[in-house]
């Protein structure tokens, strides 16, 4: 057993699931929906939010966070290599 390197046991999967991609996808989807809603908001919806297009700003913020998660997942992999 001492000749096995760490992480190479029989229970180790070849590829691990990275939850950062799931988070990026969900935040991106919600961000896209809110951005479209924010662009198409009528004057009544904008007046309810005290003149701020809140759906647009929150949607753009979610898209920025989704981009950050996707970039993080792409540039900093989990450390497991394909063999």
């Amino acid at each position: 057993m001492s000749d096995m390197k760490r992480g190479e046991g029989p229970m180790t999967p070849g590829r691990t699931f990275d939850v950062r991609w799931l988070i990026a996808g969900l935040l991106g989807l919600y961000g896209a929906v809110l951005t479209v809603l924010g662009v198409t908001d009528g004057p009544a919806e904008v007046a309810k939010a005290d003149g701020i297009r809140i759906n647009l700003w929150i949607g753009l913020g979610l898209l920025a966070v989704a981009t950050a998660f996707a970039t993080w997942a792409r540039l900093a992999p989990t450390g497991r290599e394909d063999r």
Side-chain angles (χ1 to χ4, degrees), residues 3-29:
D3 60 337
M4 290 180 116
K5 294 181 184 175
R6 184 176 182 196
E8 290 183 352
M11 302 281 291
T12 304
R15 295 185 64 108
T16 58
F17 176 73
D18 194 357
V19 73
R20 293 176 292 184
W21 288 111
L22 178 65
I23 293 170
L26 288 174
L27 290 178
L29 177 68

Short mmCIF file of all heavy atoms in Angstrom, two decimals, residues 3-29:
data_model
loop_
_atom_site.label_atom_id
_atom_site.label_comp_id
_atom_site.label_asym_id
_atom_site.label_seq_id
_atom_site.Cartn_x
_atom_site.Cartn_y
_atom_site.Cartn_z
N ASP A 3 3.33 1.89 -1.86
CA ASP A 3 3.78 2.29 -3.18
C ASP A 3 2.74 3.11 -3.94
O ASP A 3 3.02 3.64 -5.00
CB ASP A 3 4.18 1.06 -4.00
CG ASP A 3 3.03 0.09 -4.19
OD1 ASP A 3 2.10 0.12 -3.36
OD2 ASP A 3 3.07 -0.70 -5.14
N MET A 4 1.52 3.24 -3.40
CA MET A 4 0.48 4.05 -4.03
C MET A 4 0.67 5.52 -3.68
O MET A 4 0.94 5.86 -2.55
CB MET A 4 -0.91 3.64 -3.56
CG MET A 4 -1.36 2.32 -4.07
SD MET A 4 -3.00 2.00 -3.42
CE MET A 4 -3.90 1.97 -4.91
N LYS A 5 0.55 6.35 -4.68
CA LYS A 5 0.61 7.78 -4.44
C LYS A 5 -0.73 8.26 -3.92
O LYS A 5 -1.76 7.63 -4.14
CB LYS A 5 0.97 8.52 -5.73
CG LYS A 5 2.36 8.22 -6.22
CD LYS A 5 2.64 8.99 -7.46
CE LYS A 5 3.99 8.64 -8.03
NZ LYS A 5 4.22 9.29 -9.31
N ARG A 6 -0.71 9.39 -3.29
CA ARG A 6 -1.96 9.94 -2.74
C ARG A 6 -2.94 10.26 -3.87
O ARG A 6 -2.57 10.88 -4.86
CB ARG A 6 -1.65 11.20 -1.95
CG ARG A 6 -2.84 11.77 -1.28
CD ARG A 6 -2.49 12.95 -0.45
NE ARG A 6 -3.69 13.42 0.21
CZ ARG A 6 -3.80 14.58 0.77
NH1 ARG A 6 -2.81 15.41 0.78
NH2 ARG A 6 -4.93 14.93 1.33
N GLY A 7 -4.18 9.85 -3.72
CA GLY A 7 -5.20 10.14 -4.72
C GLY A 7 -5.28 9.12 -5.83
O GLY A 7 -6.02 9.30 -6.77
N GLU A 8 -4.49 8.06 -5.78
CA GLU A 8 -4.52 7.06 -6.83
C GLU A 8 -5.11 5.73 -6.36
O GLU A 8 -4.83 4.70 -6.93
CB GLU A 8 -3.11 6.82 -7.35
CG GLU A 8 -2.55 7.97 -8.13
CD GLU A 8 -1.18 7.67 -8.69
OE1 GLU A 8 -0.60 6.62 -8.37
OE2 GLU A 8 -0.71 8.49 -9.47
N GLY A 9 -5.90 5.76 -5.32
CA GLY A 9 -6.51 4.55 -4.80
C GLY A 9 -7.58 4.03 -5.73
O GLY A 9 -7.96 4.67 -6.71
N PRO A 10 -8.11 2.87 -5.44
CA PRO A 10 -9.12 2.26 -6.31
C PRO A 10 -10.44 3.02 -6.31
O PRO A 10 -11.22 2.89 -7.23
CB PRO A 10 -9.30 0.86 -5.73
CG PRO A 10 -8.80 0.95 -4.34
CD PRO A 10 -7.75 2.02 -4.32
N MET A 11 -10.71 3.84 -5.29
CA MET A 11 -11.98 4.57 -5.21
C MET A 11 -11.90 5.96 -5.84
O MET A 11 -12.85 6.71 -5.83
CB MET A 11 -12.41 4.72 -3.75
CG MET A 11 -12.55 3.41 -3.01
SD MET A 11 -14.08 2.57 -3.36
CE MET A 11 -15.23 3.64 -2.56
N THR A 12 -10.76 6.34 -6.39
CA THR A 12 -10.58 7.68 -6.94
C THR A 12 -11.15 7.75 -8.36
O THR A 12 -10.75 6.98 -9.22
CB THR A 12 -9.08 8.04 -6.99
OG1 THR A 12 -8.56 7.91 -5.68
CG2 THR A 12 -8.89 9.46 -7.47
N PRO A 13 -12.07 8.67 -8.61
CA PRO A 13 -12.60 8.80 -9.97
C PRO A 13 -11.57 9.45 -10.90
O PRO A 13 -10.71 10.20 -10.46
CB PRO A 13 -13.82 9.70 -9.80
CG PRO A 13 -13.54 10.49 -8.57
CD PRO A 13 -12.72 9.60 -7.69
N GLY A 14 -11.68 9.17 -12.17
CA GLY A 14 -10.76 9.74 -13.14
C GLY A 14 -10.97 11.22 -13.33
O GLY A 14 -10.03 11.99 -13.43
N ARG A 15 -12.19 11.64 -13.38
CA ARG A 15 -12.51 13.06 -13.53
C ARG A 15 -13.46 13.44 -12.41
O ARG A 15 -14.42 12.75 -12.14
CB ARG A 15 -13.17 13.32 -14.88
CG ARG A 15 -12.27 13.05 -16.05
CD ARG A 15 -12.96 13.44 -17.32
NE ARG A 15 -13.20 14.86 -17.34
CZ ARG A 15 -12.55 15.72 -18.11
NH1 ARG A 15 -11.62 15.29 -18.90
NH2 ARG A 15 -12.83 17.00 -18.09
N THR A 16 -13.19 14.55 -11.78
CA THR A 16 -14.06 15.00 -10.69
C THR A 16 -15.04 16.03 -11.22
O THR A 16 -14.76 16.75 -12.17
CB THR A 16 -13.24 15.61 -9.54
OG1 THR A 16 -12.47 16.69 -10.04
CG2 THR A 16 -12.34 14.56 -8.91
N PHE A 17 -16.18 16.10 -10.59
CA PHE A 17 -17.19 17.08 -10.95
C PHE A 17 -16.86 18.40 -10.27
O PHE A 17 -16.66 18.46 -9.07
CB PHE A 17 -18.57 16.59 -10.49
CG PHE A 17 -19.66 17.57 -10.75
CD1 PHE A 17 -20.11 17.81 -12.03
CD2 PHE A 17 -20.22 18.29 -9.71
CE1 PHE A 17 -21.10 18.72 -12.27
CE2 PHE A 17 -21.22 19.21 -9.93
CZ PHE A 17 -21.66 19.42 -11.22
N ASP A 18 -16.78 19.46 -11.05
CA ASP A 18 -16.45 20.78 -10.52
C ASP A 18 -17.73 21.59 -10.41
O ASP A 18 -18.36 21.95 -11.40
CB ASP A 18 -15.45 21.47 -11.43
CG ASP A 18 -14.80 22.67 -10.79
OD1 ASP A 18 -15.17 23.01 -9.65
OD2 ASP A 18 -13.91 23.27 -11.43
N VAL A 19 -18.13 21.88 -9.18
CA VAL A 19 -19.39 22.58 -8.92
C VAL A 19 -19.34 24.03 -9.40
O VAL A 19 -20.38 24.66 -9.60
CB VAL A 19 -19.76 22.48 -7.42
CG1 VAL A 19 -18.88 23.35 -6.58
CG2 VAL A 19 -21.22 22.80 -7.20
N ARG A 20 -18.15 24.56 -9.64
CA ARG A 20 -18.03 25.94 -10.12
C ARG A 20 -18.70 26.12 -11.47
O ARG A 20 -19.28 27.18 -11.76
CB ARG A 20 -16.57 26.36 -10.18
CG ARG A 20 -15.93 26.45 -8.80
CD ARG A 20 -14.47 26.77 -8.89
NE ARG A 20 -13.76 25.64 -9.50
CZ ARG A 20 -12.44 25.59 -9.64
NH1 ARG A 20 -11.69 26.58 -9.23
NH2 ARG A 20 -11.86 24.54 -10.19
N TRP A 21 -18.65 25.09 -12.32
CA TRP A 21 -19.32 25.19 -13.62
C TRP A 21 -20.84 25.22 -13.47
O TRP A 21 -21.52 25.95 -14.19
CB TRP A 21 -18.90 24.03 -14.52
CG TRP A 21 -17.50 24.15 -15.01
CD1 TRP A 21 -16.45 23.38 -14.66
CD2 TRP A 21 -17.00 25.12 -15.93
NE1 TRP A 21 -15.32 23.80 -15.31
CE2 TRP A 21 -15.62 24.87 -16.10
CE3 TRP A 21 -17.57 26.17 -16.62
CZ2 TRP A 21 -14.81 25.64 -16.94
CZ3 TRP A 21 -16.76 26.94 -17.45
CH2 TRP A 21 -15.41 26.67 -17.60
N LEU A 22 -21.36 24.45 -12.53
CA LEU A 22 -22.80 24.45 -12.28
C LEU A 22 -23.25 25.82 -11.75
O LEU A 22 -24.26 26.37 -12.20
CB LEU A 22 -23.16 23.35 -11.29
CG LEU A 22 -24.62 23.25 -10.90
CD1 LEU A 22 -25.47 22.86 -12.10
CD2 LEU A 22 -24.80 22.26 -9.78
N ILE A 23 -22.50 26.36 -10.81
CA ILE A 23 -22.83 27.67 -10.26
C ILE A 23 -22.77 28.75 -11.35
O ILE A 23 -23.67 29.59 -11.45
CB ILE A 23 -21.90 28.01 -9.08
CG1 ILE A 23 -22.15 27.07 -7.92
CG2 ILE A 23 -22.06 29.46 -8.65
CD1 ILE A 23 -21.13 27.16 -6.81
N ALA A 24 -21.74 28.71 -12.17
CA ALA A 24 -21.60 29.68 -13.25
C ALA A 24 -22.77 29.57 -14.23
O ALA A 24 -23.32 30.60 -14.67
CB ALA A 24 -20.28 29.48 -13.98
N GLY A 25 -23.18 28.36 -14.54
CA GLY A 25 -24.30 28.17 -15.47
C GLY A 25 -25.61 28.69 -14.92
O GLY A 25 -26.37 29.37 -15.62
N LEU A 26 -25.89 28.36 -13.66
CA LEU A 26 -27.14 28.82 -13.06
C LEU A 26 -27.18 30.33 -12.90
O LEU A 26 -28.19 30.98 -13.22
CB LEU A 26 -27.36 28.14 -11.71
CG LEU A 26 -27.73 26.66 -11.77
CD1 LEU A 26 -27.77 26.08 -10.36
CD2 LEU A 26 -29.07 26.47 -12.45
N LEU A 27 -26.09 30.91 -12.40
CA LEU A 27 -26.06 32.37 -12.25
C LEU A 27 -26.13 33.06 -13.61
O LEU A 27 -26.75 34.11 -13.74
CB LEU A 27 -24.80 32.79 -11.50
CG LEU A 27 -24.74 32.44 -10.02
CD1 LEU A 27 -23.42 32.88 -9.42
CD2 LEU A 27 -25.89 33.06 -9.26
N GLY A 28 -25.50 32.46 -14.61
CA GLY A 28 -25.57 33.02 -15.96
C GLY A 28 -26.98 32.98 -16.53
O GLY A 28 -27.44 33.93 -17.16
N LEU A 29 -27.66 31.87 -16.29
CA LEU A 29 -29.05 31.74 -16.77
C LEU A 29 -29.96 32.77 -16.09
O LEU A 29 -30.71 33.49 -16.76
CB LEU A 29 -29.56 30.33 -16.52
CG LEU A 29 -31.01 30.06 -16.91
CD1 LEU A 29 -31.17 30.13 -18.42
CD2 LEU A 29 -31.45 28.71 -16.39
#
